[in-house]
Amino acid sequence: MHIAPMPSRGLTVGFDLDMTLIDSRPGIHACYQALSARTDTYIDCDLVVTRLGPPLEEELVNWFPAERVPAVADLYRELYPAYAITGTLAMPGAHEAVEAVRAAGGRAVVVTAKWEPNAKLHLKHLGIGADAVVGDLWAERKAEALREHGASVYVGDHTGDVRGARTADAYSVAVATGPCDAAELRAAGADVVLTDLTQFPAWLGGYRGASPA
């Protein structure tokens, strides 16, 4: 375990979106049902929502020929606002986690593999304030945005999020609320694993106390 020093310009915490800040399973399930109907293609929507995290195209290739995936991905993103936004809920502790960063004088940045316009719709609908939102980045590529924004902490639910944090030399805070259990997250290199975001404000207080001034 390591304690990453906070950058001199202040605390910035990155957050993943799906299954970290939001429970998008009901909305995504409904959107895949609509996609299945529109394309006349069988999709096991119950299975899909058990493995959220990686980019959309990595899921679609399980149901469509590779040459159709780009067009189907465009259709999915077109359908998404009508089917996936209102059915999505904030994860327990999500608002409080972001507010804890703000109360510490920091910035909260959402870095997600989700298409950025749809990510912003989720945050607006649920009233989760973010100082910046960066989409279309997965796993190690999340480090691009984390470095750009000077994030010293990245919070996520997937081993891909852990890899992104490690690549950015950020402290990896994992929450066991997604498809990866605590053991998987620890094995991937997470610095700390929380049950969910309700534990984050207390953790943040301890982290700030342990970090260099």
Side-chain angles (χ1 to χ4, degrees), residues 46-187:
D46 292 335
L47 177 60
V48 167
V49 297
T50 67
R51 53 192 186 196
L52 301 181
L56 170 64
E57 289 80 2
E58 290 189 20
E59 181 59 49
L60 292 178
V61 77
N62 295 304
W63 312 106
F64 297 90
E67 64 272 14
R68 290 191 63 196
V69 166
V72 174
D74 287 343
L75 175 59
Y76 175 92
R77 291 177 178 125
E78 177 186 326
L79 294 170
Y80 196 94
Y83 289 93
I85 302 301
T86 58
T88 291
L89 307 171
M91 294 294 286
H95 290 91
E96 293 82 356
V98 171
E99 287 308 311
V101 176
R102 294 265 177 75
R107 300 174 68 248
V109 177
V110 172
V111 181
T112 174
K114 190 179 294 295
W115 193 48
E116 191 171 305
N118 286 338
K120 290 178 176 178
L121 288 176
H122 276 302
L123 295 169
K124 180 178 179 181
H125 177 73
L126 293 171
I128 299 174
D131 295 286
V133 181
V134 183
D136 307 296
L137 295 178
W138 164 240
E140 288 83 357
R141 286 199 61 214
K142 291 189 173 190
E144 299 170 17
L146 296 174
R147 287 175 176 145
E148 178 183 351
H149 288 277
S152 57
V153 175
Y154 185 58
V155 186
D157 65 281
H158 199 285
T159 55
D161 299 323
V162 177
R163 300 202 307 272
R166 305 299 290 192
T167 302
D169 198 26
Y171 196 97
S172 174
V173 177
V175 285
T177 50
C180 302
D181 64 25
E184 290 177 274
L185 295 165
R186 290 191 188 96

Side-chain angles (χ1 to χ4, degrees), residues 18-19 22-30 49-50 52 87-88 91 177:
D18 289 294
M19 303 312 299
I22 66 172
D23 184 352
S24 51
R25 290 173 297 183
I28 288 176
H29 191 282
V49 297
T50 67
L52 301 181
T88 291
M91 294 294 286
T177 50

